[in-house]
Amino acid sequence: MTHFVIIGAGECGARAAFALREKGYDGEITLIGSETLVPYERPPLSKAGDEEAAGPKFIAKVERYAESGISLLTGITVQHLNPEAKSVTLSDGRAVAYDKVLLTTGARARMLQDIGVGSKHIRSLRTHADAVALRKVMVPGKHIVVIGGGFIGLELAATARALGTDVTVLEGLERVLKRGVPEEVAEVICERHSLEGVDIRCGVAIAAMKEEDERAVIQLADGNMIEADLVLVGIGATPNTELAVDAGLKIDNGIAVDEFLRTSAADIYAAGDCCSFPLAIYGGRRVRLESWRNAQEQGALAAANMMGLGEAVSAVPWFWSDQYDVTLQIAGLAEGAVRHLRRDLGDGAFILFHLDQAGRLLAASGIGRGNAVARDIRLAEMLIAVRAHPDPAALVASSVKLKSLLAA
Ligand SMILES: Cc1cc2nc3c(=O)[nH]c(=O)nc-3n(C[C@H](O)[C@H](O)[C@H](O)COP(=O)(O)OP(=O)(O)OC[C@H]3O[C@@H](n4cnc5c(N)ncnc54)[C@H](O)[C@@H]3O)c2cc1C
């Protein structure tokens, strides 16, 4: 019987294991994860209010793994991957042989170099344990400083405000969400945070951080000091590539895979946050995505390719973020866009369409309350997938249904 081993029991690894069964693979499956919890969803960690709501929200009940014939090993780290011997070495000393292996090792939160990190009052947010530790400070009268105006930091800021905690956000660049969100959309988010009482400071450099009397003290480069009950460092994530590096696999902003999610070594695949892959719809440009839907889709795609089904990556990148009652959705990649057209959807909601020189729709960014932009972003995603060159006048006219552009 063949044995497929999946390293990393997060969103992508768990989805891949179930997808193998759904697609009819009848060999052995071992899913190995460092975390002690059964695989769970990460998005609620920054969005949900109290400790209970923050989860863990399990991807599947623990019984389902056994019922599906998936050997789930939690609290076990794979320490070594040997492509020649086709085996992995586990942290409990065992060696496990494989026929094919999938790396879904994800990413970890980046930390600031050389300034008092990893301490009780200076934390990051990637795991359920991180979320629980943060929730303990998210109460009225406490003050949290978020370093980095990215998605996770801003989502946590919104959640903390809803719980009555004071929040200051420190961003090094001139505005928040500089990576991946157009200014017009970022402004809406920034205004909403200000309205809710979040103190957002941009263009700020941090000189040092230390812990004093159960508090964190941040010294800014301009000489100002800020005290906090807790500092959340939200400055992005780094792919977990150590095993792949050790095994001699090609690395290029993550574990480099081809359109079938194959690494540079035979019978070794990678998927999700840990890998970079070529996107055919953008001329084969290599990207690494840190997104929930990408992790799900690539889990299923890796399963198909491990079974020899030969399915290439074709999905359009898609990402969402919830802050207060506002939802932001982005489909596609806007790099290379020269024209940005706005379609108003009412009640303050709008979508920006990003087009290249030739008028091809590259991406769409939408923001609005609740589900206001969901349907149109979905249609934009379909237009992007077919490499459409929609009529600019029709894109901005909210009276013209996007569906009609798809038919055209
Ligand atoms: C707080 C938070 C909020 C988010 N919100 C959104 C959102 O709103 N929208 C969105 O699109 N995306 C969001 N994301 C991103 C999304 O959750 C990730 O893209 C997704 O979890 C990636 O799945 P993955 O399986 O590739 O990696 P991960 O979920 O990181 O899982 C990888 C797993 O592998 C384990 N592992 C690593 N190395 C080893 C090893 N050697 N041996 C064994 N196990 C190992 C890790 O411990 C981890 O459990 C959010 C992420 C976070 C952290």
Side-chain angles (χ1 to χ4, degrees), residues 89-113:
T89 312
L90 311 187
S91 50
D92 62 6
R94 271 183 290 168
V96 176
Y98 66 79
D99 292 291
K100 292 189 184 180
V101 69
L102 171 62
L103 290 158
T104 52
T105 48
R108 59 177 176 274
R110 273 181 63 207
M111 282 309 257
L112 290 164
Q113 298 292 315

Side-chain angles (χ1 to χ4, degrees), residues 20 39 106 111 135 143 146 192 194 265 285 289 293 295 307 331 337 343 345:
L20 280 168
M111 282 309 257
R135 294 296 180 290
H143 180 213
V146 176
R192 182 59 193 272
S194 300
R285 201 169 97 213
L289 302 177
R293 196 168 85 181
M307 291 171 66
R343 165 181 280 238
L345 303 176

